[in-house]
CSV table of all heavy atoms in Angstrom, one decimal:
chain,number,residue,atom,x,y,z
A,28,CYS,N,14.0,26.3,1.0
A,28,CYS,CA,13.3,27.3,1.7
A,28,CYS,C,12.3,26.6,2.6
A,28,CYS,O,11.5,25.8,2.1
A,28,CYS,CB,12.6,28.3,0.7
A,28,CYS,SG,13.6,29.2,-0.3
A,29,SER,N,12.4,26.9,3.9
A,29,SER,CA,11.6,26.1,4.9
A,29,SER,C,11.1,27.0,6.0
A,29,SER,O,10.5,26.3,7.0
A,29,SER,CB,12.5,25.0,5.4
A,29,SER,OG,13.6,25.6,6.1
A,30,SER,N,11.0,28.3,5.8
A,30,SER,CA,10.4,29.1,6.9
A,30,SER,C,9.1,29.8,6.4
A,30,SER,O,8.3,29.1,5.6
A,30,SER,CB,11.5,30.2,7.3
A,30,SER,OG,11.9,30.9,6.2
A,31,ARG,N,8.9,31.0,6.8
A,31,ARG,CA,7.6,31.6,6.5
A,31,ARG,C,7.5,32.2,5.0
A,31,ARG,O,6.4,32.4,4.5
A,31,ARG,CB,7.4,32.9,7.5
A,31,ARG,CG,7.3,32.5,8.9
A,31,ARG,CD,7.1,33.7,9.7
A,31,ARG,NE,7.0,33.3,11.2
A,31,ARG,CZ,7.0,34.2,12.1
A,31,ARG,NH1,6.9,35.5,11.9
A,31,ARG,NH2,6.9,33.8,13.4
A,32,GLN,N,8.7,32.3,4.4
A,32,GLN,CA,8.6,32.9,3.1
A,32,GLN,C,9.8,32.4,2.3
A,32,GLN,O,10.9,32.2,2.8
A,32,GLN,CB,8.7,34.5,3.1
A,32,GLN,CG,8.7,35.1,1.7
A,32,GLN,CD,8.6,36.5,1.8
A,32,GLN,OE1,7.5,37.2,2.2
A,32,GLN,NE2,9.6,37.3,1.5
A,33,GLY,N,9.6,32.0,1.0
A,33,GLY,CA,10.7,31.6,0.1
A,33,GLY,C,11.5,32.7,-0.3
A,33,GLY,O,11.1,33.9,-0.3
A,34,VAL,N,12.8,32.4,-0.8
A,34,VAL,CA,13.6,33.5,-1.4
A,34,VAL,C,12.8,34.2,-2.5
A,34,VAL,O,13.0,35.4,-2.7
A,34,VAL,CB,14.8,32.8,-1.9
A,34,VAL,CG1,15.7,33.9,-2.7
A,34,VAL,CG2,15.6,32.2,-0.8
A,35,CYS,N,12.0,33.5,-3.3
A,35,CYS,CA,11.3,34.1,-4.4
A,35,CYS,C,10.2,35.2,-3.9
A,35,CYS,O,9.6,35.8,-4.7
A,35,CYS,CB,10.7,33.1,-5.2
A,35,CYS,SG,9.3,32.2,-4.4
A,36,GLY,N,9.9,35.1,-2.6
A,36,GLY,CA,8.8,35.9,-2.0
A,36,GLY,C,7.5,35.2,-1.8
A,36,GLY,O,6.5,35.8,-1.3
A,37,LYS,N,7.4,33.9,-2.2
A,37,LYS,CA,6.3,33.1,-2.0
A,37,LYS,C,6.2,32.8,-0.6
A,37,LYS,O,7.0,32.4,0.2
A,37,LYS,CB,6.4,31.7,-2.8
A,37,LYS,CG,5.2,30.8,-2.7
A,37,LYS,CD,5.4,29.6,-3.6
A,37,LYS,CE,6.7,28.9,-3.4
A,37,LYS,NZ,6.9,27.7,-4.5
A,38,SER,N,4.8,33.0,0.0
A,38,SER,CA,4.5,32.7,1.4
A,38,SER,C,4.6,31.2,1.6
A,38,SER,O,4.3,30.4,0.7
A,38,SER,CB,3.2,33.3,1.7
A,38,SER,OG,2.1,32.8,1.1
A,39,ALA,N,4.7,30.8,2.9
A,39,ALA,CA,4.6,29.4,3.3
A,39,ALA,C,3.2,28.9,3.0
A,39,ALA,O,3.0,27.8,2.6
A,39,ALA,CB,4.9,29.3,4.7
A,40,GLU,N,2.2,29.8,3.2
A,40,GLU,CA,0.8,29.3,2.9
A,40,GLU,C,0.6,29.0,1.4
A,40,GLU,O,0.1,27.9,1.1
A,40,GLU,CB,-0.2,30.4,3.3
A,40,GLU,CG,-1.6,30.0,2.9
A,40,GLU,CD,-2.6,31.3,3.0
A,40,GLU,OE1,-2.2,32.3,2.9
A,40,GLU,OE2,-3.8,31.0,3.2
A,41,VAL,N,1.2,29.8,0.5
A,41,VAL,CA,1.0,29.5,-0.9
A,41,VAL,C,1.8,28.3,-1.3
A,41,VAL,O,1.4,27.4,-2.0
A,41,VAL,CB,1.5,30.7,-1.7
A,41,VAL,CG1,1.6,30.4,-3.2
A,41,VAL,CG2,0.5,31.8,-1.6
A,42,ALA,N,3.0,28.2,-0.6
A,42,ALA,CA,3.9,27.0,-0.9
A,42,ALA,C,3.1,25.7,-0.5
A,42,ALA,O,3.1,24.7,-1.3
A,42,ALA,CB,5.2,27.0,-0.2
A,43,ARG,N,2.5,25.7,0.7
A,43,ARG,CA,1.7,24.5,1.1
A,43,ARG,C,0.5,24.2,0.1
A,43,ARG,O,0.2,23.1,-0.2
A,43,ARG,CB,1.3,24.7,2.5
A,43,ARG,CG,2.4,24.7,3.6
A,43,ARG,CD,1.7,24.5,5.0
A,43,ARG,NE,0.9,25.6,5.4
A,43,ARG,CZ,1.3,26.7,5.9
A,43,ARG,NH1,2.6,26.9,6.2
A,43,ARG,NH2,0.4,27.7,6.3
A,44,LEU,N,-0.1,25.2,-0.3
A,44,LEU,CA,-1.3,25.2,-1.2
A,44,LEU,C,-0.8,24.6,-2.6
A,44,LEU,O,-1.5,23.7,-3.2
A,44,LEU,CB,-2.0,26.4,-1.3
A,44,LEU,CG,-2.9,27.0,-0.2
A,44,LEU,CD1,-3.2,28.3,-0.4
A,44,LEU,CD2,-4.0,26.1,-0.1
A,45,GLU,N,0.3,25.0,-3.0
A,45,GLU,CA,0.9,24.4,-4.3
A,45,GLU,C,1.3,23.0,-4.1
A,45,GLU,O,1.1,22.2,-5.1
A,45,GLU,CB,2.0,25.3,-4.7
A,45,GLU,CG,1.6,26.7,-5.3
A,45,GLU,CD,2.7,27.5,-5.9
A,45,GLU,OE1,3.8,27.1,-5.8
A,45,GLU,OE2,2.3,28.6,-6.4
A,46,ASP,N,1.7,22.6,-2.9
A,46,ASP,CA,1.9,21.2,-2.7
A,46,ASP,C,0.6,20.4,-2.7
A,46,ASP,O,0.5,19.3,-3.2
A,46,ASP,CB,2.7,20.9,-1.4
A,46,ASP,CG,4.1,21.2,-1.5
A,46,ASP,OD1,4.6,21.5,-2.6
A,46,ASP,OD2,4.8,21.2,-0.4
A,47,GLU,N,-0.5,21.0,-2.1
A,47,GLU,CA,-1.8,20.4,-2.1
A,47,GLU,C,-2.3,20.3,-3.5
A,47,GLU,O,-3.0,19.4,-3.9
A,47,GLU,CB,-2.7,21.3,-1.2
A,47,GLU,CG,-2.5,21.2,0.3
A,47,GLU,CD,-3.5,22.0,1.1
A,47,GLU,OE1,-4.5,22.3,0.6
A,47,GLU,OE2,-3.0,22.4,2.2
A,48,LEU,N,-2.1,21.3,-4.3
A,48,LEU,CA,-2.6,21.3,-5.8
A,48,LEU,C,-1.9,20.2,-6.5
A,48,LEU,O,-2.5,19.4,-7.2
A,48,LEU,CB,-2.2,22.7,-6.4
A,48,LEU,CG,-2.4,22.7,-7.9
A,48,LEU,CD1,-3.8,22.4,-8.3
A,48,LEU,CD2,-2.0,24.1,-8.4
A,49,THR,N,-0.6,20.0,-6.2
A,49,THR,CA,0.1,18.9,-6.9
A,49,THR,C,-0.3,17.6,-6.4
A,49,THR,O,-0.5,16.6,-7.2
A,49,THR,CB,1.6,19.0,-6.6
A,49,THR,OG1,2.1,20.3,-7.0
A,49,THR,CG2,2.4,17.9,-7.3
A,50,GLY,N,-0.7,17.5,-5.1
A,50,GLY,CA,-1.1,16.2,-4.6
A,50,GLY,C,-2.5,15.9,-5.2
A,50,GLY,O,-2.9,14.7,-5.4
A,51,ALA,N,-3.4,16.9,-5.4
A,51,ALA,CA,-4.6,16.7,-6.0
A,51,ALA,C,-4.5,16.2,-7.4
A,51,ALA,O,-5.2,15.3,-7.9
A,51,ALA,CB,-5.5,18.0,-6.0
A,52,MET,N,-3.5,16.8,-8.2
A,52,MET,CA,-3.2,16.3,-9.5
A,52,MET,C,-2.7,14.9,-9.6
A,52,MET,O,-2.9,14.2,-10.5
A,52,MET,CB,-2.3,17.3,-10.3
A,52,MET,CG,-2.9,18.7,-10.5
A,52,MET,SD,-1.8,19.8,-11.6
A,52,MET,CE,-0.5,20.1,-10.3
Side-chain angles (χ1 to χ4, degrees):
C28 295
S29 56
S30 58
R31 296 179 180 177
Q32 180 175 288
V34 173
C35 67
K37 176 172 61 180
S38 69
E40 179 188 23
V41 169
R43 290 194 299 269
L44 286 168
E45 289 184 351
D46 282 353
E47 290 178 23
L48 171 58
T49 303
M52 290 188 291

